[in-house]
Amino acid sequence: MRPADGSDVTGQLLDEQITYYRALAREYSDHRLPFSGGDEVITALDEFRPTGSVLELACGPGTWTGRLLRHATEVTAVDSSPEMLAHAADRHGTDRVRYVRSDIFDFMPNRRYDVVFFGFWISHVPEELFDSFWTLVADCLNPGGRVFFVDDGYRTPDELVDGDDSPVVRRRTNDGTAYRAVKVPHEPAELQRRLTDLGWRITVTATSTGPFYWGAGGRG
């Protein structure tokens, strides 16, 4: 899925995005968005009930892993950052969670799952890899499997170093170091339409307050 030539612009950007999240691991909670709407997403996830075997892509420090474990029999948590995975393991242990270090764009599933979940990840997928990412999601699902995701379209003026039309933002860690990352500001209705065109039956819902949205469904 990842561009074959690691020297190309997208490949360099993805490498920098990984470096950013590795550096962010120790201060991740400092960068949470100060908006309401999160409770709606949590309620939606509980109503969705991600039961059975769950694959969590881009698990980060395990923020959502614990909520998945409320319903799941087991969780496979995948992330490119060993620092993030270490935080997740410290929080949730290894009894029902298997941790896998992998660049999501190079991830090769060796089994299928009842549910694929990703939190605050779809906005970090470059537009040119959008379709192939969803092919990966399909390859990870059992027949009749389901998908749930949550994200936001929030970008600050200071981040938009290349203007509103660019999917690239520049973010800083607490020590002031700057990194580029992908941040695509999806609109829920348009995102749902694109997924329908790819053969998915996923409803994308915006929270009543705040910049958040979630998607839930499966293959069409």
Side-chain angles (χ1 to χ4, degrees):
M1 185 199 309
R2 182 188 257 265
D5 182 0
S7 65
D8 70 88
V9 173
T10 300
Q12 292 177 14
L13 177 59
L14 293 177
D15 288 340
E16 191 168 338
Q17 179 168 272
I18 289 173
T19 302
Y20 167 64
Y21 277 100
R22 293 192 64 178
L24 194 70
R26 62 184 177 273
E27 58 190 56
Y28 188 84
S29 61
D30 296 343
H31 298 265
R32 291 178 179 173
L33 295 181
F35 298 111
S36 59
D39 288 346
E40 291 181 53
V41 175
I42 292 170
T43 297
L45 178 59
D46 284 338
E47 292 177 349
F48 177 84
R49 293 185 58 80
T51 56
S53 59
V54 177
L55 173 65
E56 182 181 9
L57 297 174
C59 68
T63 303
W64 294 94
T65 310
R67 297 198 176 277
L68 296 173
L69 287 169
R70 294 182 179 185
H71 306 280
T73 304
E74 58 171 339
V75 174
T76 298
V78 182
D79 203 277
S80 61
S81 166
E83 295 84 358
M84 291 287 194
L85 291 171
H87 281 297
D90 285 344
R91 295 172 72 172
H92 305 297
T94 58
D95 287 346
R96 293 163 52 209
V97 186
R98 181 171 69 98
Y99 302 94
V100 177
R101 181 186 178 187
S102 176
D103 182 338
I104 302 302
F105 299 110
D106 291 330
F107 180 61
M108 300 285 288
N110 59 8
R111 54 168 292 191
R112 292 177 180 261
Y113 298 84
D114 299 315
V115 173
V116 173
F117 171 90
F118 37 99
F120 298 96
W121 169 249
I122 191 62
S123 62
H124 294 307
V125 176
E127 289 285 8
E128 59 266 40
L129 298 181
F130 183 88
D131 291 7
S132 55
F133 171 73
W134 283 96
T135 297
L136 167 66
V137 174
D139 289 344
C140 292
L141 282 174
N142 284 323
R146 300 181 298 150
V147 175
F148 191 100
F149 61 85
V150 56
D151 215 309
D152 69 86
Y154 181 71
R155 306 189 304 174
T156 69
D158 290 344
E159 294 177 326
L160 300 174
V161 292
D162 294 324
D164 290 344
D165 295 332
S166 174
V168 179
V169 296
R170 180 169 293 143
R171 292 183 167 176
R172 297 182 184 273
T173 51
N174 287 346
D175 65 4
T177 305
Y179 301 88
R180 294 178 306 150
V182 177
K183 185 65 178 180
V184 180
H186 293 292
E187 292 291 338
E190 175 62 15
L191 180 55
Q192 179 173 315
R193 184 199 63 76
R194 291 180 67 182
L195 293 174
T196 299
D197 289 346
L198 291 178
W200 293 90
R201 189 167 59 189
I202 292 177
T203 300
V204 184
T205 305
T207 54
S208 59
T209 60
F212 308 109
Y213 58 85
W214 73 87
R219 294 292 289 169

